[in-house]
Amino acid sequence: MTGFVLFNVAIMLIFILVLFIMQRKHISFTKRVFTGLGIGVIYGFILQYFTEPDSEALLTTVDWFNLVGSGYVKFLQMIVMPLVFISILSAFTKLKLTNNIGKISSLILAILIGTTAVAAAVGITATFAFDLEAVQIEQGEAENVRGVELEEKYGTTVEGKTMPQQILELIPANPFLDLTGARPTSTISVVIFAAFLGFAYLGVRRKQPEQAELFAKIVEAFYSIIMRVVTLILRLTPYGILAIMTKTVATSNLDAIVKLGKFVVASYAALLVMFLIHLILLAIGGLSPMKYLKKAFPVLVFAFTSRTSAGALPMNIKTQKQMGVSDGIANFSGSFGLSIGQNGCAGIYPAMLAIMVAPTVGIDPFTPSFIATVIVVVAISSFGVAGVGGGATFAALLVLSALNLPVALAGLLISVEPLIDMGRTALNVSGSMTSGVLTSRITGDLDKEKYNSEAEALEADII
């Protein structure tokens, strides 16, 4: 390890110590998160200024930073599958929720899929407004390599599979394998398996109430333990965001971002419009968008910096509860939102990519029939998209293959992929939380007094 690397690591340790002292002084969780974010951005730019993004010294430095940043994300991913599984089961064991289980799940799914279709339309509009085409993007060595990788992945995942066959991939033939997250569709498969157990519980509750009561107590006991683990992990959030943001800024290829600036601007314009649509939907439901913004902001910041919807699930569920959403609905919307109807990764991005790639094979992308086809395919393909890094790529593969478009061209955007993925992930989480809040509002289950309270999200649970 060189002196330069040691110096960088020592500086990071000092920043971590600062955050630790803030925690010991009981400074609010939100302030510590934003302190870590701010320091990470500034430190990242300093490293960017003094080193090259691909220099050995910076890569070694980042490798050490990953012990904190990537380690934190791995802890979150560690708890995701158990949390999804026990959250769905817990939702079924709550009497208030199970009386309306069909209506609630249908509403959540309808909002998730409906907003994804709207997101696809927004992405198409942005592509048209900014006049984006794949042929405008230069192909370098990295882009060509990425294209080859995508073709190989395409060959092992979706090539030659019809839409019914792809739907069959969602069904858990081996739920224990899916609990390990081994497949791109593992999350939705775990949801399906947990739902089957939940419906079985409802049947047992009618015929054997004593056994059902015992099962419900066991589920709630496990749920309490899992949520305690979640709280312990979330306390590491300021440190994780500090390291993640430092790495992201320090290793960003500014030249590539400038070259693809038009696509980056178009992407964020579409993401912003879709986020505003979320706020409009809340306003139509008679809820204050500003209250939502204040309470959702910490989890959206985490999703933005970490680029993992799955990792944000614990904060997602806790934040919904702070907004007055019941445990059951928060568990359902948070878990469903990991694999269904991700507005950013499975909505805007695949739609923009399809419109950009279509002219390369002689298709006019702005004919009404093609646009309608893209929106429908995007909505259907939004089932089973993994809520971790790479989910948007998998969604793009599904959409491009369904439209018979070349998937290798998706590799053209590799240089700006991390930058765009930050905004996409934040939008995914916002869509999930919006579906939970709106479902609670429609069913009359929302605690409006709690929604309108001034309490900061998560502060009651995380010190």
Side-chain angles (χ1 to χ4, degrees), residues 103-302:
K103 180 180 179 180
I104 288 171
S105 57
S106 297
L107 276 172
I108 292 173
L109 291 175
I111 293 171
L112 287 171
I113 298 171
T115 52
T116 300
V118 173
V122 170
I124 292 170
T125 303
T127 307
F128 175 75
F130 285 84
D131 191 27
L132 298 176
E133 290 186 14
V135 293
Q136 299 170 348
I137 303 175
E138 296 180 7
Q139 295 191 49
E141 181 179 351
E143 286 77 15
N144 289 327
V145 170
R146 178 61 171 167
V148 172
E149 290 176 352
L150 289 178
E151 285 186 321
E152 292 176 352
K153 184 175 183 177
Y154 167 69
T156 59
T157 55
V158 296
E159 183 177 20
K161 290 185 179 179
T162 63
M163 185 61 69
Q165 290 172 333
Q166 292 178 25
I167 293 174
L168 280 175
E169 288 293 317
L170 305 179
I171 299 176
N174 184 347
F176 299 101
L177 174 66
D178 287 317
L179 282 168
T180 67
R183 301 188 302 145
T185 58
S186 284
T187 305
I188 190 63
S189 296
V190 169
V191 169
I192 292 172
F193 177 59
F196 265 96
L197 292 180
F199 280 114
Y201 160 80
L202 296 181
V204 171
R205 190 179 66 176
R206 288 192 298 269
K207 297 180 180 180
Q208 299 171 293
E210 291 184 1
Q211 285 83 345
E213 183 180 356
L214 175 61
F215 179 79
K217 289 181 179 179
I218 293 173
V219 168
E220 289 308 302
F222 273 105
Y223 182 76
S224 298
I225 297 297
I226 293 297
M227 291 308 295
R228 182 57 184 171
V229 174
V230 166
T231 299
L232 295 175
I233 295 173
L234 289 184
R235 288 178 179 174
L236 303 175
T237 299
Y239 311 101
I241 286 182
L242 165 66
I244 292 168
M245 208 62 208
T246 302
K247 171 190 173 182
T248 301
V249 175
T251 57
S252 294
N253 189 328
L254 297 182
D255 292 335
I257 292 173
V258 171
K259 289 179 182 178
L260 294 173
K262 189 177 179 181
F263 179 79
V264 174
V265 171
S267 297
Y268 272 91
L271 292 170
L272 179 60
V273 168
M274 194 60 213
F275 183 69
L276 291 175
I277 290 174
H278 289 169
L279 299 183
I280 291 171
L281 290 173
L282 291 170
I284 293 173
L287 301 172
S288 168
M290 294 309 297
K291 295 292 185 183
Y292 172 83
L293 277 174
K294 181 176 180 180
K295 294 187 176 182
F297 203 54
V299 64
L300 295 180
V301 168
F302 170 74

Side-chain angles (χ1 to χ4, degrees), residues 12 15 37-51 58 65 242-252:
M12 176 60 72
F15 291 147
L37 174 64
I39 294 175
V41 171
I42 295 171
Y43 190 30
F45 274 120
I46 292 174
L47 291 175
Q48 173 84 237
Y49 180 79
F50 286 103
T51 60
L58 181 60
F65 290 175
L242 165 66
I244 292 168
M245 208 62 208
T246 302
K247 171 190 173 182
T248 301
V249 175
T251 57
S252 294

